[in-house]
Amino acid sequence: MSRRLEGRRAIVTGGARGIGRSIVERFVADGAQVAILDLLESEGRETAEAVGARFFRADVRDAAQTRATLTAAIGALGGVDILVNNAGILRFSPLLSMSLEEWDETFAINLRPMLVTTQEVARAMIEAGRGGKIVNLASMAGKAGGEGQGHYAASKAAVIALTRVTAIELGAHGITANALCPGYVLTEMGAATRTAEDVAEWSSYSPLGRLGVPEDVAGVAAFLASSDGDYLTGQAINVTGGMIMH
Ligand SMILES: NC(=O)c1ccc[n+]([C@@H]2O[C@H](COP(=O)([O-])OP(=O)(O)OC[C@H]3O[C@@H](n4cnc5c(N)ncnc54)[C@H](O)[C@@H]3O)[C@@H](O)[C@H]2O)c1
């Protein structure tokens, strides 16, 4: 495997498990030093130890805690070149019975923290003058919607919009920002309600005939984080096995 992230320093939110963990593993394999920011203390520590990363506990809903933890992580890494905003939640709730608490919780985790992390990390990148890469986890739902996903889909559409503004405002500093829009990836997210029928149905929507695995997303994240992605910015890239093509 190429070591195309050699010498790069990366921060991955929600890196304790799932897609985030796979991105951390891939970045480390590609030569990066990686800091995980996650709420899950024991899974985060276990992942960090297993893959050779650092763990920092933070609840991204808490902006002050997130800023302080990012300062510590950037200090430990000796700088930062890559930010992956991956922490997120998916809850199901039909529009007509959705509570405002459910709506607010989704936005408080999926969207608002991206402003905080982007501010902190981009300031450090600009000060260092070496450019940088920001990768935001959106979703196919941000483009296509999804039943019971009014809050989730809206938050992910907002992630795509925020990513575009980030690309526009930070491009002059050599910082790229892109969103990844995974389709249906087999992780803990959605696992509690997943059935064999769901897997068969969703697999049939992909021309490749299968659901995604975290490594499918991690490979594209590594590409965007590397110099191979230098001329891509403001994009919302589908990683859906062709489930959607726009
Ligand atoms: N799994 C999918 O099918 C799918 C599809 C499209 C997009 N995504 C997106 O990919 C990202 C990762 O999802 P996943 O499938 O790996 O889910 P996951 O539930 O396995 O992992 C999410 C991670 O985010 C962390 N996290 C959640 N809330 C947090 C908080 N308040 N503070 C800090 N960390 C927090 C969790 O602890 C966990 O480690 C999410 O943004 C998700 O919306 C997933």
Side-chain angles (χ1 to χ4, degrees):
M1 189 176 287
S2 72
R3 307 256 305 166
R4 60 183 173 177
L5 299 182
E6 196 77 59
R8 309 281 175 96
R9 291 116 352 141
I11 295 174
V12 181
T13 72
R17 71 180 194 195
I19 292 170
R21 176 181 170 133
S22 188
I23 290 172
V24 172
E25 283 184 296
R26 181 60 194 265
F27 281 13
V28 170
D30 282 354
Q33 290 183 65
V34 184
I36 297 168
L37 253 70
D38 205 295
L39 185 64
L40 296 175
E41 179 105 38
S42 61
E43 277 170 276
R45 291 202 182 285
E46 187 275 318
T47 295
E49 193 168 330
V51 309
R54 293 176 169 85
F55 174 72
F56 295 84
R57 191 195 169 280
D59 182 338
V60 295
R61 286 171 293 194
D62 182 335
Q65 187 186 96
T66 301
R67 288 190 201 280
T69 310
L70 284 168
T71 301
I74 294 168
L77 293 171
V80 61
D81 307 289
I82 302 162
L83 168 66
V84 182
N85 281 312
N86 164 81
I89 58 162
L90 166 65
R91 308 269 189 266
F92 293 97
S93 189
L95 281 183
L96 300 190
S97 56
M98 186 181 293
S99 69
L100 292 179
E101 287 72 23
E102 289 174 307
W103 176 274
D104 288 344
E105 187 197 23
T106 295
F107 275 75
I109 296 175
N110 290 2
L111 183 64
R112 187 175 182 263
M114 284 197 193
L115 174 65
V116 174
T117 55
T118 299
Q119 286 177 336
E120 290 301 315
V121 170
R123 283 175 189 142
M125 288 172 171
I126 291 167
E127 199 180 328
R130 291 166 37 127
K133 309 279 187 188
I134 298 175
V135 180
N136 294 333
L137 268 290
S139 170
M140 172 170 76
K143 295 183 177 180
E147 195 176 341
Q149 299 182 19
H151 43 7
Y152 182 79
S155 74
K156 294 301 189 178
V159 167
I160 293 170
L162 177 64
T163 304
R164 291 176 176 148
V165 175
T166 307
I168 290 166
E169 292 196 11
L170 302 184
H173 301 284
I175 298 171
T176 67
N178 292 286
L180 290 178
C181 301
Y184 193 146
V185 183
L186 290 162
T187 66
E188 287 296 311
M189 183 171 278
T193 53
R194 187 180 296 143
T195 63
E197 290 73 29
D198 293 335
V199 172
E201 183 188 346
W202 282 91
S203 298
S204 76
Y205 299 150
S206 162
L208 299 176
R210 68 169 176 88
L211 300 183
V213 291
E215 292 75 14
D216 291 320
V217 184
V220 186
F223 162 70
L224 289 173
S226 78
S227 53
D228 289 335
D230 277 354
Y231 201 53
L232 272 179
T233 197
Q235 304 305 303
I237 298 170
N238 301 325
V239 191
T240 65
M243 282 180 193
I244 61 166
M245 301 189 183
H246 63 281

